[in-house]
């Protein structure tokens, strides 16, 4: 009957509308990821020295992610590592939200496994915040040469499902 057909068409239109909205959101997230990757690569290509390159990269990353702070450390030949660039007050955030020993364990885990880690921190006094520490390996020819750390005031899930892949790719480009 005509009413059933009209109902089916209405459900089909609603279903297609939902699919279009979902695909539009997915494309928007992908576009944002590409913008971030482009900005990072552009900042790497304009640098002259290693320290300038890493400083420009970190500044771009902090701005694009609206991060509270970030740092980059490279492994030294003696087995230790050296912070070569930082943005924001990393020391204050580390001392306030993560013990030095816990930070070392997270960093060692990322170094050993070669995979980034997202560590949720205790909530800040601001309502609705869910801060995270993200530790990403910097890789060069399948070898981990350092790490970059980012403090976010919000959950990284807000950046979409491809965020992990994006930061892993960024770590490889920086390497």
């Amino acid at each position: 009957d005509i009413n059933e057909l009209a109902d089916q068409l209405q459900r089909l239109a609603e279903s297609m509308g939902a699919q279009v909205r979902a695909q539009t959101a997915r494309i928007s997230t992908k576009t944002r990821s590409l913008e971030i990757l482009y900005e990072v690569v552009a900042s790497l290509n304009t640098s002259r020295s290693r320290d300038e390159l890493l400083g420009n990269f970190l500044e771009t990353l902090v701005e694009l992610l609206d991060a509270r702070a970030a740092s980059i450390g490279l492994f030294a030949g003696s087995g230790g590592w050296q912070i070569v660039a930082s943005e924001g007050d990393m020391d204050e955030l580390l001392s306030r939200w993560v013990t030095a020993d816990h930070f070392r364990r997270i960093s060692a885990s990322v170094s050993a496994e070669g995979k980034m880690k997202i560590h949720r921190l205790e909530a800040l006094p601001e309502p609705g915040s869910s801060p995270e520490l993200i530790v990403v390996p910097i890789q060069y020819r399948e070898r981990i040469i350092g790490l970059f750390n980012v403090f976010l005031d919000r959950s990284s899930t807000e950046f979409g499902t491809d965020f992990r892949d994006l930061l892993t790719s960024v770590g490889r480009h920086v390497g």
Side-chain angles (χ1 to χ4, degrees), residues 24 117-118 125:
T24 301
K117 298 264 187 213
I118 298 176

Side-chain angles (χ1 to χ4, degrees), residues 49-124:
S49 70
R50 179 196 75 179
D51 290 349
E52 182 183 355
L53 177 141
L54 296 174
N56 287 345
F57 157 71
L58 216 52
E59 185 178 320
T60 301
L61 189 69
V62 165
E63 183 180 326
L64 290 171
L65 298 179
D66 193 26
R68 188 171 230 195
S71 69
I72 294 180
L74 297 178
F75 294 111
S78 61
W81 75 312
Q82 172 189 13
I83 300 289
V84 292
S86 68
E87 284 283 321
D89 197 353
M90 254 334 249
D91 292 335
E92 187 269 331
L93 290 168
L94 283 173
S95 67
R96 185 172 171 194
W97 301 111
V98 181
T99 66
D101 186 52
H102 189 68
F103 181 69
R104 273 192 228 86
R105 282 196 310 265
I106 294 170
S107 298
S109 172
V110 170
S111 298
E113 296 172 19
K115 296 179 183 174
M116 78 174 237
K117 298 264 187 213
I118 298 176
H119 178 72
R120 298 198 195 300
L121 304 172
E122 294 179 21
L124 294 170

Side-chain angles (χ1 to χ4, degrees), residues 68-69 98 117-122 124 129-135 150-159 163:
R68 188 171 230 195
V98 181
K117 298 264 187 213
I118 298 176
H119 178 72
R120 298 198 195 300
L121 304 172
E122 294 179 21
L124 294 170
S129 68
S130 44
E132 293 179 337
L133 168 64
I134 301 172
V135 182
V150 180
F151 270 100
L152 297 176
D153 279 332
R154 63 186 186 278
S155 172
S156 58
T157 58
E158 292 179 24
F159 291 103
F163 187 67

